[in-house]
Amino acid sequence: MVIYGVAVLSISLLAGLFAGDLLGRAIGVEANVGGVGLAMLLLVMLSGRSGGRFQLAPVTAQGITFWSAMYIPIVVAMAARQNVVAAVSSGPLALLAGTLAVAGGFALVPVLAGLHARRRHPAPRGGAR
C-alpha cells in the first residue's frame, strides 16, 4: 500500500535528521549536518532492497518507489535554499568539501554498478572448466 511508502519515507527522514544532528554535535557544529542526505540514502537503500527477509508486496514497493521519486525534488528544493554565497565567502573549506563529496559520489558509481551487476548475474559456483 502507498501508506507503507509514506511510513518508510517518514522513518527515513526522522532517522536521517537524528543522525545529522548527532553528526553536527560530534564535529562541534550547532546544525544538522547532512541529515536530509542521510535520509535520502536510507530511503534509496530501503526501496532498493528486495529479497531475503525484507519482502515487500508489489503494491507496497510501488508506494515506496512513488515516494522515493517525490523525495528527490524535495531534497533539491531544500538544497536550493542553502546560502551558497555565504558558505563560499567564508573560506575554501566549503568548496573543498563540495568537490570531495562530488568526486566521492562519482567514484562510487562504478563500484555500486559492479555490485548491482554481480547481484543480478552471480558467478557460477565451482568456476568454469
Side-chain angles (χ1 to χ4, degrees), residues 12-39:
S12 300
L13 181 63
L14 292 174
L17 291 178
F18 180 71
D21 284 339
L22 289 179
L23 185 61
R25 288 185 187 174
I27 63 173
V29 176
E30 293 291 327
N32 186 305
V33 178
V36 175
L38 293 172

Side-chain angles (χ1 to χ4, degrees), residues 16-100:
L17 291 178
F18 180 71
D21 284 339
L22 289 179
L23 185 61
R25 288 185 187 174
I27 63 173
V29 176
E30 293 291 327
N32 186 305
V33 178
V36 175
L38 293 172
M40 193 168 86
L41 285 175
L42 183 61
L43 182 63
V44 167
M45 286 189 318
L46 287 176
S47 64
R49 189 167 169 93
S50 63
R53 293 176 28 194
F54 194 71
Q55 289 286 343
L56 296 174
V59 177
T60 303
Q62 289 174 350
I64 292 173
T65 302
F66 171 76
W67 284 108
S68 297
M70 292 296 292
Y71 195 57
I72 292 171
I74 292 170
V75 169
V76 171
M78 291 178 76
R81 280 190 37 214
Q82 303 297 316
N83 193 348
V84 176
V85 175
V88 171
S89 65
S90 63
L93 184 61
L95 289 174
L96 180 66
T99 303
L100 289 176

